[in-house]
Structure formats: structure tokens, C-alpha cells
Amino acid sequence: MSLLTTGSWKLCRNQNKRNKTILFYFNILKCASPVVLINLQCPTTQLCVSKCPDRFATYIDVQASYRYRPDQWNYFKQYCKPGFNNPRKSVAQVLRDEDCPSMIIPSRPFLKRCFPDFSTKNGVLTVANQTTFKDGRGKTRNVTDLREAANGINNVLDARSVGMKIFEDYAISWYWILIGLFIAMIVSLLFLVLLRFTAGVLFWIFIFGVIGIIGYGTWHCYWEYDHLKGIPGSDLTVYDIGFQTDFRVYLQLRQTWLAFMIILCVVEIIIILMLIFLRNRIRIAIALLKEGSRAIGYIMSTLFYPIVTFILIAICISYWAVTAVFLATSGEPVYKVMANQTLCKYANLTCDPETFNTTNVTKLCPGAQCTFAFYGGESLYHKYIFIFQLANAFVFLWLVNFAIALGQCTLAGAFASYYWASRKPADIPLWPLFSSFGRAIRYHTGSLAFGALILAIVQLIRVVLEYLDHKLKGTQNSFTRFLLCCLKCCFWCLEKFLKFINRNAYIMIAIYGKNFCTSAKEAFFLLMRNVVRVAVLDKVTDFLLFLGKILVAGGVGVLAFFFFTQRIPVFAQEAPALNYYWVPLLTVIIGSYLVAHGFFSVYAMCVDTLFLCFCEDLERNDGSTAKPYFMSASLHRILGKKELSPKKAIG
């Protein structure tokens, strides 16, 4: 019989030759302890057996009947430690040294482990038709305690089993996942190319689809309103019935459907009027989207710049994680006594793991363990460790925002060189992305760092507010909750506003090379002078890019689903045998969405840059021979100009 000590990760796989492949727990009741979830191990002695117990028995009873019932001892000792055969040893010493279990209960093998043989009799949980049992320590307990212990083991088994199966699935399907992500990259590229020709079609399909859906909703509300005519109680008002928790009651009122119909009619009219009065600006937005696809077609290297940003952010995360771990572990390890008995006076006291077994704690508190608690100390440094962690988080936020700012400024500079080129693509610089990156590093580092600093401060305040909200949860009064909620909302809005301002400030920095504050001011007022165009372009761009992300992720996800479930006959033999097909499937879907987001973020930056250049072009030039426009012919036609004047180069 092979013994598995407490905390061991081994199972009874090496005992196949001895036919002892089932794991038996000395005291399964300890498996209900919270230690199980912490250590992923039941804190009791475990050993391998050939079969599970089939009866109730305690060591006390077996020892007392040893002289005239030796057969009971012969059966019981197979669940003791290997080689133990001393039934005359005192009960206290046996339980202290864990030579034998204090009890055995009828069990059956499940997942190669002995679990209590539960059954239900007249709705009552039983084990071998009994609702109580002796725990071998002088107490009679209910079998529901065994169920809690079994649930604790199941949680550990589930966590381990699922984790191992997921790891196995990744190990045999990782290259197929990479293939799926590569397909997502190709589809994203194709979508951006097709967007040049289909942007207008996609937008108008969406608009007319929304109009049609709202129109159908209006008709349905009228049908419900007319259908309820004459039905008793349908003419009551909402005021008459008051507030009802079952909202289906309101759907039985004609007044409800009348209100819905009026609301939908108003929304329909607003959308139609917006299309009529904003049709020219919508055409400009669609033309800018097509122009963005054309610009990316000339500067294809920009599509792969997100890889640089990803690497920089990964370095920032690694720096933050390593520093945080060093700070968290920069102290002496503190060990504490963990005992399952609530009456143990040594519980939660500090201990020394090297000398713990020689103390009296294990004798006075059977089953007690000296476990690691945390790293700590009493020095001034350890008292302010939280401040250091906060500073580390602030530096992390600053560096991440700087990496993002560098990417935005680099892309803006590359796309601006496309817009302000007199002859496209002849006058575009040879290496526009590389040149823009060099300018951003050489001339604009301070401005980018300053913009990232402002945003990092606001984000750190939000982190602190979330921390306070978490710490004060359950103890705060209504006013405190209201105040924290307002502060969190305000700083969330401020962060969104600063991200919008910073993004456009970086574009102006890339175009003119001015400092952050001047660029932010000029970008803000330029956008305010074109606020309607900004709103229209933002919504059109958001819709098309969101549609693209969903199409890419959904399309690749459907393909991955049919592949991993072996529903594609051609590749049925190639598909790996998986424990959970949803593991690589979800990875491919989420990864495809992130890949599409990376490509489309470049596209969004391109459109934003071209829009600011377009607005600046309209204010600086008038289309005359002396001041020709730099915009494309399609944008020029939308503005109502008959012909495009010869362009001049910007000095």
C-alpha cells in the first residue's frame, strides 16, 4: 500500500500492478475546509487502496472488539498506513500520528477516489440508509457534513481536471489557432480594401434597415393598439393601475401601445430629417472612409504598426508585474498555524516550519499545519509598501499611455503626409511610417509624455476611487455611496474626454510639430467649428468598423466551429481530438476580434487624421489657383466645385 502525504499532487497511477488505483482519504471531513480551495488539496492523509470501504466502522470500536472480533481489525487495517498492525496502540496516539483513519464509511469509487455512497430516501440524504454516523472522535454527525466534504473534493477535482484538459487542448491545437488568427488578418485586410468600394453601400443598407425596422415597429404598435379595442380593462390608464412589478400588465393597455407608437414615429421622423439635412455631411463622411482605404493602400506598412504598440505595452506590463512582485515579496516570509479545530489556541499564531514538528502544537491540535501566510516586516519601508505599489501603478499607466500616444502620433504623421501630397502617390515620402516614427521620437517625445501624464493622473484617480469603493463596500452610508458614484462617473467622463482631446492633439502635433497644449487647443477649436461633421463622421466610422469587427470575428468563428467539431468533411481527419472544442473556438473568436481591432484602429486613426486635414484644408485654402485644395477629387466634387485646381506643394 503506497502512502500519499498531505499536499501531494500524485495520484495512484503507479500502483496499477498492485491493483491499488483508488485514492482513500483518512478524514474526508477535512475536505470541507477552506484550505482545500487555497491549496487545491484536501488537508488529510491519503493512500492508495484496491477497493473502497463498504461499512461504517471507527477505530475505537474496532480496537475494543479486537480480541473477540479479529476479522474486523483485519478489514480495517487495510485502510491504515502501510505496515501498521498494532491495534493495542492507544487511540490518542494513533489519531495523533495518523496511523489509521478515525472512521471509515460506506463508499464507492468515483473518479478514482472513494466518495461516500450517497442515496436519497423519502427526500432525505442517507449513506447506507443511515442519516448519521460516528466520526471516531466521540461525536455523532449528520451525513450532510459528508456531502459538504465531497463537494470540496469535487471543486478541487473540477479545477484540476478542467485546467489540465484546457492545457491539453491548447497543446494540440495551438497551430490551428494561429492559422485561424492568420485567416482573421487576411479577412481584415480584405475588408479594409473592400471598404473603399462598399462604404457607402454598407452605410445606406444600415440606415434603410433601421428605418424599415422602426417602421415595422410602428405598424406593430398600431396593430396591438387596434387589437385591444373593446377588450375589458384595456382602456385603463397607467395612472389608474399604478406601479406594477410585472411589466406585462402594461402591455394589456391600449395607452402603452399608443405611447410606443408615438415614440417610434418621432424617432422615425428625426432620422429621416437628419438624413435630409445632413445628407451632404454624410456623403463627406463616406468619402473620407473611402479616402482612408486609399491612403492605407498606399501605406500598407501602417497596418502592421499595432505590433510595435503591442510589444511596447507588453514590455510595460512585464515591468509593472515584475516590480509589483518584488515589492510584494520584499520582506520576510511569515508562517502561521492553520488548524481545523476551532478550539486550538495556537490557530493563526506565527510559527517556524523548520521546528514546527518538534513542538507540542501538533499534539494539542491534531492536523495543524505551519503554512505560509504572507511576506511582511515592521520597518518603515514595509509600512509604506502600498504607496510604492501605487507609484508603480502610476508609472505603468504613464508608460502605457505614452506607447499608445507614440503609435497615434506616428500613424497620424504618415497619413498626413499622404493627404498633403500634391500628387498622390508620387509626392508621398519613400518611407512615410518610418519617417513619422523618427520625427515623433526625435521632436515630440516631451509633448507625447505630457499628454500621457495628464491621462495617467486621471486614470490613477479612477483606480483609487475603485479601491476605496471596494474597501468601503458594506460599511458606507447612502451619502458616501452617492458621492463615490458621482466621482467615478465624473472621472470616467473626464478620461473619455481627455482621450478624445489627446488623440486629436497628437494629430496636430504630427502635422505642425507644435507643443501639446497649443496642438490640443487648436484641435479642439477646429473640431468645434466642424462639430456636426465630427458627430456624423464619428457615428458612420464607428458603425462600419464595428460591423467589420463582428463580420471578421463571426466569420472566422463559424469556420473554426465547423472545423473543431469535425463538420468539414475535407478536414475532418485533420481536426484535433479535443476535450472542450470551445477552448480553441473562443480563443480564435476573441483573438480574431483583437486582430480586427488592431487593423481597424489604424483605419480609424487614418480617417480621423484625414478629417482634421480636410477641415484644415477648407480653412486655409479656397480652391483657387493661388490656394488650391489638397483634398481628393471625390471630396472636391461633394463640396460642389466644378473642377479641381492645380495643387501646390506645402512649404
Side-chain angles (χ1 to χ4, degrees):
M1 186 176 295
S2 175
L3 180 68
L4 294 179
T5 57
T6 301
S8 174
W9 288 83
K10 298 179 181 178
L11 297 177
C12 301
R13 296 179 180 177
N14 298 326
Q15 301 296 320
N16 290 329
K17 295 181 179 179
R18 301 181 182 180
N19 197 28
K20 295 179 179 179
T21 59
I22 306 174
L23 195 65
F24 172 75
Y25 298 94
F26 261 38
N27 188 357
I28 195 173
L29 294 174
K30 291 185 177 181
C31 299
S33 170
V35 178
V36 174
L37 296 179
I38 298 174
N39 299 328
L40 292 180
Q41 183 66 256
C42 185
T44 185
T45 301
Q46 306 162 29
L47 51 85
C48 296
V49 296
S50 58
K51 61 180 181 179
C52 296
D54 59 3
R55 66 193 71 173
F56 283 105
T58 65
Y59 181 80
I60 297 176
D61 295 337
V62 171
Q63 186 189 53
S65 61
Y66 169 68
R67 293 183 179 179
Y68 54 89
R69 293 288 302 273
D71 57 310
Q72 290 190 358
W73 168 249
N74 292 331
Y75 179 84
F76 193 91
K77 72 177 182 180
Q78 63 181 321
Y79 301 105
C80 297
K81 285 183 178 180
F84 180 79
N85 191 17
N86 185 13
R88 295 180 176 84
K89 188 175 181 179
S90 67
V91 175
Q93 291 178 335
V94 169
L95 298 182
R96 181 197 64 190
D97 299 335
E98 294 190 337
D99 295 319
C100 289
S102 62
M103 62 171 182
I104 58 174
I105 56 176
S107 306
R108 55 186 174 86
F110 179 71
L111 297 176
K112 297 296 182 180
R113 287 163 173 80
C114 291
F115 278 83
D117 189 10
F118 293 114
S119 61
T120 303
K121 186 176 182 180
N122 297 326
V124 179
L125 185 69
T126 63
V127 173
N129 295 323
Q130 295 189 26
T131 58
T132 60
F133 66 97
K134 296 179 180 180
D135 65 356
R137 298 177 183 271
K139 294 182 180 179
T140 301
R141 307 181 66 161
N142 196 290
V143 296
T144 55
D145 296 337
L146 294 173
R147 182 174 59 182
E148 294 180 4
N151 290 336
I153 298 175
N154 284 331
N155 292 335
V156 175
L157 294 178
D158 291 342
R160 287 184 182 176
S161 176
V162 171
M164 290 300 298
K165 289 180 179 179
I166 290 176
F167 179 79
E168 292 174 358
D169 289 342
Y170 277 125
I172 63 177
S173 65
W174 63 270
Y175 48 91
W176 292 109
I177 294 175
L178 292 180
I179 293 175
L181 297 181
F182 179 77
I183 294 174
M185 183 183 71
I186 299 300
V187 174
S188 299
L189 288 172
L190 291 176
F191 185 86
L192 291 180
V193 173
L194 293 176
L195 204 58
R196 182 191 303 183
F197 309 101
T198 61
V201 176
L202 289 176
F203 176 77
W204 290 114
I205 289 176
F206 168 73
I207 288 297
F208 287 118
V210 171
I211 292 176
I213 292 173
I214 296 177
Y216 170 78
T218 304
W219 175 83
H220 182 77
C221 291
Y222 173 77
W223 183 85
E224 291 284 356
Y225 174 78
D226 184 69
H227 179 71
L228 291 174
K229 185 178 181 179
I231 297 179
S234 62
D235 292 326
L236 294 175
T237 64
V238 176
Y239 178 80
D240 293 333
I241 65 173
F243 177 76
Q244 301 290 330
T245 56
D246 188 359
F247 291 99
R248 290 176 297 180
V249 175
Y250 297 107
L251 299 180
Q252 307 301 320
L253 304 179
R254 299 185 70 202
Q255 186 186 65
T256 302
W257 293 106
L258 179 63
F260 286 162
M261 183 174 62
I262 294 174
I263 292 173
L264 291 178
C265 286
V266 172
V267 173
E268 186 91 330
I269 293 172
I270 290 175
I271 293 177
I272 294 175
L273 290 177
M274 288 177 62
L275 291 176
I276 293 174
F277 290 103
L278 300 178
R279 63 186 183 279
N280 193 49
R281 290 177 172 83
I282 292 175
R283 291 172 60 202
I284 293 175
I286 295 175
L288 281 171
L289 291 173
K290 296 179 179 179
E291 191 71 11
S293 299
R294 190 175 295 110
I296 291 177
Y298 288 132
I299 316 176
M300 289 292 292
S301 58
T302 55
L303 289 174
F304 301 97
Y305 185 84
I307 298 176
V308 178
T309 303
F310 173 79
I311 293 174
L312 293 176
I313 293 178
I315 293 174
C316 295
I317 294 175
S318 301
Y319 158 78
W320 167 79
V322 171
T323 306
V325 170
F326 269 102
L327 288 174
T329 59
S330 58
E332 297 295 330
V334 178
Y335 295 85
K336 290 192 175 183
V337 177
M338 181 171 292
N340 294 319
Q341 297 182 6
T342 57
L343 299 179
C344 180
K345 64 179 181 179
Y346 296 102
N348 295 324
L349 296 181
T350 57
C351 58
D352 185 354
E354 296 182 357
T355 61
F356 181 73
N357 292 330
T358 61
T359 63
N360 293 328
V361 178
T362 55
K363 298 179 180 179
L364 299 176
C365 303
Q369 301 178 18
C370 184
T371 59
F372 170 78
F374 55 86
Y375 287 96
E378 300 297 332
S379 65
L380 186 65
Y381 166 79
H382 292 100
K383 292 181 180 179
Y384 292 96
I385 197 72
F386 176 77
I387 303 299
F388 296 140
Q389 290 282 20
L390 206 60
N392 181 43
F394 173 72
V395 173
F396 165 71
L397 293 173
W398 192 0
L399 292 176
V400 168
N401 286 315
F402 177 79
I404 295 174
L406 178 62
Q408 292 176 344
C409 187
T410 299
L411 293 173
F415 293 127
S417 65
Y418 162 83
Y419 185 93
W420 296 113
S422 298
R423 296 172 300 168
K424 302 176 179 61
D427 291 341
I428 300 176
L430 184 60
W431 304 102
L433 184 66
F434 182 78
S435 301
S436 179
F437 181 80
R439 289 194 302 270
I441 291 292
R442 183 176 180 182
Y443 299 110
H444 309 317
T445 303
S447 297
L448 301 180
F450 182 71
L453 173 65
I454 297 174
L455 189 57
I457 292 174
V458 175
Q459 290 175 337
L460 182 66
I461 294 174
R462 289 194 62 202
V463 171
V464 173
L465 289 175
E466 291 290 346
Y467 175 79
L468 292 176
D469 187 34
H470 176 73
K471 285 295 183 181
L472 298 177
K473 188 171 294 184
T475 61
Q476 53 191 332
N477 54 34
S478 300
F479 176 76
T480 306
R481 288 196 300 269
F482 173 76
L483 182 61
L484 274 176
C485 183
C486 290
L487 288 174
K488 288 165 61 178
C489 180
C490 290
F491 278 97
W492 179 85
C493 295
L494 180 60
E495 181 185 355
K496 295 297 181 183
F497 176 75
L498 286 177
K499 284 184 177 180
F500 175 76
I501 291 297
N502 284 11
R503 182 184 181 90
N504 291 281
Y506 299 147
I507 296 175
M508 298 300 285
I509 289 173
I511 296 174
Y512 295 109
K514 298 180 181 179
N515 61 55
F516 175 82
C517 295
T518 303
S519 299
K521 182 185 69 174
E522 292 180 355
F524 177 77
F525 287 111
L526 180 61
L527 293 173
M528 289 300 101
R529 291 193 295 270
N530 299 272
V531 63
V532 179
R533 287 172 177 164
V534 173
V536 173
L537 178 68
D538 184 63
K539 295 307 176 185
V540 172
T541 305
D542 286 349
F543 160 68
L544 291 179
L545 296 187
F546 176 74
L547 178 65
K549 295 174 187 178
I550 295 300
L551 287 176
V552 172
V556 177
V558 170
L559 180 64
F561 171 78
F562 283 105
F563 174 77
F564 288 120
T565 55
Q566 301 179 352
R567 300 186 183 185
I568 302 179
V570 179
F571 298 100
Q573 300 297 326
E574 301 293 334
L578 302 170
N579 297 299
Y580 308 112
Y581 72 86
W582 52 264
V583 171
L585 177 62
L586 289 181
T587 305
V588 169
I589 293 175
I590 296 174
S592 299
Y593 184 87
L594 294 177
V595 169
H597 178 75
F599 282 105
F600 293 167
S601 64
V602 175
Y603 186 85
M605 195 68 197
C606 176
V607 174
D608 289 345
T609 302
L610 296 181
F611 176 71
L612 277 184
C613 293
F614 169 75
C615 295
E616 190 73 10
D617 195 11
L618 288 178
E619 294 189 357
R620 290 175 54 183
N621 305 305
D622 55 11
S624 63
T625 305
K627 294 183 177 181
Y629 289 124
F630 285 81
M631 66 187 69
S632 64
S634 59
L635 282 172
H636 195 267
R637 284 193 300 269
I638 291 174
L639 292 178
K641 306 297 180 181
K642 294 183 179 179
E643 60 183 29
L644 192 62
S645 303
K647 294 189 175 94
K648 66 174 183 178
I650 293 236

PDB file of all heavy atoms in Angstrom, residues 137-152:
ATOM      1  N   ARG A 137     -14.325  10.255  16.935  1.00  0.00           N
ATOM      2  CA  ARG A 137     -13.742  11.149  17.944  1.00  0.00           C
ATOM      3  C   ARG A 137     -14.753  11.479  19.038  1.00  0.00           C
ATOM      4  O   ARG A 137     -14.642  12.512  19.701  1.00  0.00           O
ATOM      5  CB  ARG A 137     -13.247  12.429  17.288  1.00  0.00           C
ATOM      6  CG  ARG A 137     -12.148  12.174  16.257  1.00  0.00           C
ATOM      7  CD  ARG A 137     -11.717  13.455  15.556  1.00  0.00           C
ATOM      8  NE  ARG A 137     -10.718  13.189  14.529  1.00  0.00           N
ATOM      9  CZ  ARG A 137      -9.406  13.175  14.726  1.00  0.00           C
ATOM     10  NH1 ARG A 137      -8.932  13.411  15.945  1.00  0.00           N
ATOM     11  NH2 ARG A 137      -8.564  12.929  13.742  1.00  0.00           N
ATOM     12  N   GLY A 138     -15.764  10.617  19.161  1.00  0.00           N
ATOM     13  CA  GLY A 138     -16.737  10.772  20.227  1.00  0.00           C
ATOM     14  C   GLY A 138     -17.946  11.593  19.852  1.00  0.00           C
ATOM     15  O   GLY A 138     -18.748  11.938  20.726  1.00  0.00           O
ATOM     16  N   LYS A 139     -18.119  11.916  18.554  1.00  0.00           N
ATOM     17  CA  LYS A 139     -19.258  12.713  18.128  1.00  0.00           C
ATOM     18  C   LYS A 139     -20.084  11.948  17.100  1.00  0.00           C
ATOM     19  O   LYS A 139     -19.552  11.147  16.331  1.00  0.00           O
ATOM     20  CB  LYS A 139     -18.801  14.039  17.517  1.00  0.00           C
ATOM     21  CG  LYS A 139     -18.120  14.988  18.512  1.00  0.00           C
ATOM     22  CD  LYS A 139     -17.763  16.295  17.819  1.00  0.00           C
ATOM     23  CE  LYS A 139     -17.094  17.264  18.785  1.00  0.00           C
ATOM     24  NZ  LYS A 139     -16.716  18.547  18.136  1.00  0.00           N
ATOM     25  N   THR A 140     -21.388  12.229  17.137  1.00  0.00           N
ATOM     26  CA  THR A 140     -22.298  11.701  16.123  1.00  0.00           C
ATOM     27  C   THR A 140     -22.681  12.848  15.197  1.00  0.00           C
ATOM     28  O   THR A 140     -23.185  13.877  15.650  1.00  0.00           O
ATOM     29  CB  THR A 140     -23.556  11.100  16.767  1.00  0.00           C
ATOM     30  OG1 THR A 140     -23.175  10.040  17.656  1.00  0.00           O
ATOM     31  CG2 THR A 140     -24.499  10.558  15.710  1.00  0.00           C
ATOM     32  N   ARG A 141     -22.461  12.667  13.900  1.00  0.00           N
ATOM     33  CA  ARG A 141     -22.641  13.756  12.949  1.00  0.00           C
ATOM     34  C   ARG A 141     -23.629  13.351  11.868  1.00  0.00           C
ATOM     35  O   ARG A 141     -23.908  12.169  11.640  1.00  0.00           O
ATOM     36  CB  ARG A 141     -21.290  14.142  12.327  1.00  0.00           C
ATOM     37  CG  ARG A 141     -20.239  14.425  13.390  1.00  0.00           C
ATOM     38  CD  ARG A 141     -18.930  14.835  12.807  1.00  0.00           C
ATOM     39  NE  ARG A 141     -19.010  16.116  12.119  1.00  0.00           N
ATOM     40  CZ  ARG A 141     -17.938  16.868  11.844  1.00  0.00           C
ATOM     41  NH1 ARG A 141     -16.722  16.445  12.209  1.00  0.00           N
ATOM     42  NH2 ARG A 141     -18.065  17.999  11.210  1.00  0.00           N
ATOM     43  N   ASN A 142     -24.131  14.366  11.185  1.00  0.00           N
ATOM     44  CA  ASN A 142     -25.096  14.144  10.118  1.00  0.00           C
ATOM     45  C   ASN A 142     -24.361  13.904   8.805  1.00  0.00           C
ATOM     46  O   ASN A 142     -23.277  14.436   8.586  1.00  0.00           O
ATOM     47  CB  ASN A 142     -26.017  15.363   9.984  1.00  0.00           C
ATOM     48  CG  ASN A 142     -27.266  15.048   9.178  1.00  0.00           C
ATOM     49  OD1 ASN A 142     -27.197  14.848   7.973  1.00  0.00           O
ATOM     50  ND2 ASN A 142     -28.414  15.020   9.855  1.00  0.00           N
ATOM     51  N   VAL A 143     -24.969  13.121   7.923  1.00  0.00           N
ATOM     52  CA  VAL A 143     -24.315  12.801   6.646  1.00  0.00           C
ATOM     53  C   VAL A 143     -24.216  14.027   5.743  1.00  0.00           C
ATOM     54  O   VAL A 143     -23.478  14.000   4.742  1.00  0.00           O
ATOM     55  CB  VAL A 143     -25.073  11.676   5.916  1.00  0.00           C
ATOM     56  CG1 VAL A 143     -25.021  10.387   6.713  1.00  0.00           C
ATOM     57  CG2 VAL A 143     -26.509  12.077   5.633  1.00  0.00           C
ATOM     58  N   THR A 144     -24.953  15.100   6.060  1.00  0.00           N
ATOM     59  CA  THR A 144     -24.807  16.320   5.261  1.00  0.00           C
ATOM     60  C   THR A 144     -23.400  16.892   5.383  1.00  0.00           C
ATOM     61  O   THR A 144     -22.931  17.579   4.467  1.00  0.00           O
ATOM     62  CB  THR A 144     -25.839  17.371   5.707  1.00  0.00           C
ATOM     63  OG1 THR A 144     -25.712  17.592   7.121  1.00  0.00           O
ATOM     64  CG2 THR A 144     -27.258  16.901   5.395  1.00  0.00           C
ATOM     65  N   ASP A 145     -22.717  16.600   6.521  1.00  0.00           N
ATOM     66  CA  ASP A 145     -21.321  17.024   6.645  1.00  0.00           C
ATOM     67  C   ASP A 145     -20.441  16.325   5.616  1.00  0.00           C
ATOM     68  O   ASP A 145     -19.486  16.899   5.096  1.00  0.00           O
ATOM     69  CB  ASP A 145     -20.805  16.736   8.058  1.00  0.00           C
ATOM     70  CG  ASP A 145     -21.543  17.536   9.123  1.00  0.00           C
ATOM     71  OD1 ASP A 145     -22.103  18.585   8.770  1.00  0.00           O
ATOM     72  OD2 ASP A 145     -21.556  17.105  10.287  1.00  0.00           O
ATOM     73  N   LEU A 146     -20.777  15.070   5.337  1.00  0.00           N
ATOM     74  CA  LEU A 146     -20.028  14.341   4.318  1.00  0.00           C
ATOM     75  C   LEU A 146     -20.266  14.928   2.927  1.00  0.00           C
ATOM     76  O   LEU A 146     -19.358  14.960   2.088  1.00  0.00           O
ATOM     77  CB  LEU A 146     -20.426  12.863   4.328  1.00  0.00           C
ATOM     78  CG  LEU A 146     -20.058  12.063   5.580  1.00  0.00           C
ATOM     79  CD1 LEU A 146     -20.662  10.659   5.504  1.00  0.00           C
ATOM     80  CD2 LEU A 146     -18.545  11.977   5.724  1.00  0.00           C
ATOM     81  N   ARG A 147     -21.489  15.394   2.694  1.00  0.00           N
ATOM     82  CA  ARG A 147     -21.778  15.988   1.389  1.00  0.00           C
ATOM     83  C   ARG A 147     -20.969  17.260   1.175  1.00  0.00           C
ATOM     84  O   ARG A 147     -20.460  17.509   0.084  1.00  0.00           O
ATOM     85  CB  ARG A 147     -23.274  16.291   1.273  1.00  0.00           C
ATOM     86  CG  ARG A 147     -23.676  16.871  -0.072  1.00  0.00           C
ATOM     87  CD  ARG A 147     -25.162  17.022  -0.199  1.00  0.00           C
ATOM     88  NE  ARG A 147     -25.695  17.884   0.850  1.00  0.00           N
ATOM     89  CZ  ARG A 147     -26.995  18.153   1.002  1.00  0.00           C
ATOM     90  NH1 ARG A 147     -27.870  17.582   0.186  1.00  0.00           N
ATOM     91  NH2 ARG A 147     -27.412  18.931   1.978  1.00  0.00           N
ATOM     92  N   GLU A 148     -20.831  18.083   2.226  1.00  0.00           N
ATOM     93  CA  GLU A 148     -20.023  19.294   2.109  1.00  0.00           C
ATOM     94  C   GLU A 148     -18.567  18.952   1.821  1.00  0.00           C
ATOM     95  O   GLU A 148     -17.905  19.607   1.007  1.00  0.00           O
ATOM     96  CB  GLU A 148     -20.129  20.106   3.395  1.00  0.00           C
ATOM     97  CG  GLU A 148     -21.516  20.676   3.652  1.00  0.00           C
ATOM     98  CD  GLU A 148     -21.554  21.477   4.939  1.00  0.00           C
ATOM     99  OE1 GLU A 148     -20.489  21.636   5.567  1.00  0.00           O
ATOM    100  OE2 GLU A 148     -22.652  21.932   5.313  1.00  0.00           O
ATOM    101  N   ALA A 149     -18.065  17.899   2.490  1.00  0.00           N
ATOM    102  CA  ALA A 149     -16.686  17.485   2.240  1.00  0.00           C
ATOM    103  C   ALA A 149     -16.515  16.969   0.811  1.00  0.00           C
ATOM    104  O   ALA A 149     -15.530  17.267   0.129  1.00  0.00           O
ATOM    105  CB  ALA A 149     -16.271  16.412   3.240  1.00  0.00           C
ATOM    106  N   ALA A 150     -17.484  16.207   0.333  1.00  0.00           N
ATOM    107  CA  ALA A 150     -17.413  15.689  -1.034  1.00  0.00           C
ATOM    108  C   ALA A 150     -17.469  16.823  -2.050  1.00  0.00           C
ATOM    109  O   ALA A 150     -16.784  16.786  -3.081  1.00  0.00           O
ATOM    110  CB  ALA A 150     -18.551  14.696  -1.276  1.00  0.00           C
ATOM    111  N   ASN A 151     -18.268  17.835  -1.755  1.00  0.00           N
ATOM    112  CA  ASN A 151     -18.325  18.998  -2.645  1.00  0.00           C
ATOM    113  C   ASN A 151     -16.980  19.706  -2.691  1.00  0.00           C
ATOM    114  O   ASN A 151     -16.571  20.221  -3.736  1.00  0.00           O
ATOM    115  CB  ASN A 151     -19.418  19.956  -2.192  1.00  0.00           C
ATOM    116  CG  ASN A 151     -20.804  19.407  -2.427  1.00  0.00           C
ATOM    117  OD1 ASN A 151     -20.998  18.549  -3.287  1.00  0.00           O
ATOM    118  ND2 ASN A 151     -21.781  19.899  -1.684  1.00  0.00           N
ATOM    119  N   GLY A 152     -16.301  19.754  -1.542  1.00  0.00           N
ATOM    120  CA  GLY A 152     -14.975  20.368  -1.529  1.00  0.00           C
ATOM    121  C   GLY A 152     -14.001  19.627  -2.421  1.00  0.00           C
ATOM    122  O   GLY A 152     -13.221  20.232  -3.158  1.00  0.00           O
TER     123      GLY A 152
END
